[in-house]
Amino acid sequence: MGLSWQQGPLGRNPNGRFLVPGMPQRVLYAEPLRRRLRAEVGGRTVVRSDDAVLLFEPGRYPVAYFPAEDFAEGVLDPVAHRTQHPDLGETAWFALAGDTRRAAWQHVDLPAYGKVLEGLIALAWRAMDAFYEEDERILGHAADPYHRIDIRRTSRHLVVRAGDRVIADTTRPLVLYESGFAPRWYVLREDVDADALALVEHQTFCPYKGIAVYYDIGEARGAAWSYRAPLEEMSRIADLISFEPDRVEVRLDGERLELEPGQTVVSHGIDRDFTPRSIPDMAR
């Protein structure tokens, strides 16, 4: 997210640029996580480590690699499957004991510049039941220490229209600044024409904000969204509405907003069997 996803500096469509000549197309970055991280399957701890390393790779969520010695004894079974990473060489795969699905991998022929990952094994997030930092569950992917969200009050004039109909008109929106994304503008429900919103079944999941529900506005599909019960840290945007500027007309101080490239989101389900009730703060 912060470094390698969306418009981050290692992403595929960065918002800025490196001011050095000859930057390679792909830049990988690894650093010690400096947090206790563990993973569980079926109530059993697969790995617990204070020495995980995060790998940031263009267009991918950050991936945690763990020292092999920090895995529970006998939990990983090597499989015959091998792949080739474009930057890190030959990759060996493992299944969880008692299962045939590939659930972990290790780069076994690292180039000199990749030696920080030597002896480390990464886990497929979907193969685990849960990951934890200390005793708090981490959802979606390894937490990115460079991902930041700032929420600010503003008195700027925001107007949303669908054709000739005014959907929202406010001078008290909140603006959410998030790493890798253009600013998002959130409106109190009392400043929105609720009759214009039709709730749909589609949802997406953000590891930093929670589950978003979506609304159609007339023929504009998925034109608005709301975090009805966000994660605790994002309570300021709870039940507010935000609008997609490519699906309805959104004007800020009279200037029409345009959707910036690379601003897609990922549907929830990255965690296995993930539902709103999986998170106490969301089950209200």
Side-chain angles (χ1 to χ4, degrees), residues 75-196:
V75 75
L76 295 179
D77 287 336
V79 297
H81 185 72
R82 295 284 175 115
T83 56
Q84 191 75 19
H85 189 280
D87 306 291
L88 300 174
E90 186 178 6
T91 303
W93 288 79
F94 304 83
L96 295 178
D99 198 339
T100 59
R101 293 173 297 177
R102 296 192 296 272
W105 66 90
Q106 181 180 27
H107 305 297
V108 294
D109 188 22
L110 286 161
Y113 56 76
K115 294 301 183 183
V116 66
L117 299 177
E118 192 165 26
L120 305 186
I121 298 173
L123 285 169
W125 203 274
R126 291 176 183 268
M128 301 295 106
D129 286 336
F131 280 81
Y132 294 86
E133 283 185 355
E134 296 295 344
D135 294 325
E136 292 199 11
R137 188 176 175 190
I138 304 301
L139 295 161
H141 57 75
D144 184 345
Y146 296 101
H147 190 91
R148 177 169 179 157
I149 296 177
D150 294 309
I151 301 171
R152 300 289 183 258
R153 293 188 305 272
T154 181
S155 57
R156 299 175 72 176
H157 189 196
L158 187 81
V159 179
V160 180
R161 289 185 174 87
D164 294 332
R165 184 175 184 177
V166 175
I167 308 301
D169 190 337
T170 185
T171 55
R172 52 177 181 172
L174 292 183
V175 55
L176 185 145
Y177 300 106
E178 180 172 7
S179 301
F181 288 90
R184 298 296 200 183
W185 302 85
Y186 284 81
V187 182
L188 295 168
R189 282 188 179 262
E190 50 262 44
D191 293 338
V192 177
D193 180 358
D195 292 336

Side-chain angles (χ1 to χ4, degrees), residues 200-232:
V200 297
E201 292 186 5
H202 177 63
Q203 295 180 332
T204 57
F205 169 64
C206 171
Y208 303 98
K209 299 189 291 295
I211 290 177
V213 299
Y214 285 78
Y215 303 90
D216 292 342
I217 300 176
E219 296 300 316
R221 305 303 182 194
W225 73 90
S226 178
Y227 291 92
R228 303 301 302 270
L231 298 174
E232 183 178 359

